[in-house]
Amino acid sequence: GDTEALLDYRRRAPHAVRAHPGDDHFLPLFFALGAAGAGAAAHYLSREVMHGSLAMDSFALEPVSDAA
C-alpha cells in the first residue's frame, strides 16, 4: 500500500530496470490499483517463471471487507 515508494522504484530498486526497461511496463500497475479502490489487497492467482527468467505473476485485487 505504499504508493509513494512504488513511484520511486527506480531510485529505491535500481536493478528493477532489468524487469521494467521502460515505465510503460510498470505504470499499468497504478491503473489497476486505482481501479481496485482504496484498501484493496492483492492475492496471487499464479506465480510462474518461464524460460528461467520471465516472471508471469498474476494477481487479483480485491476489496478488504470491514468484517474480516
Side-chain angles (χ1 to χ4, degrees):
D2 190 351
T3 305
E4 192 170 316
L6 286 172
L7 287 168
D8 193 27
Y9 81 99
R10 291 214 182 257
R11 185 181 65 80
R12 292 178 182 235
H15 299 290
V17 72
R18 294 179 65 205
H20 304 287
D23 286 339
D24 58 318
H25 290 232
F26 185 69
L27 293 179
L29 170 65
F30 296 99
F31 178 84
L33 289 172
H43 301 279
Y44 271 102
L45 298 176
S46 171
R47 290 183 181 191
E48 182 179 351
V49 176
M50 299 173 67
H51 310 293
S53 64
L54 180 61
M56 302 294 286
D57 295 351
S58 297
F59 300 88
L61 296 170
E62 301 171 351
V64 176
S65 70
D66 293 331

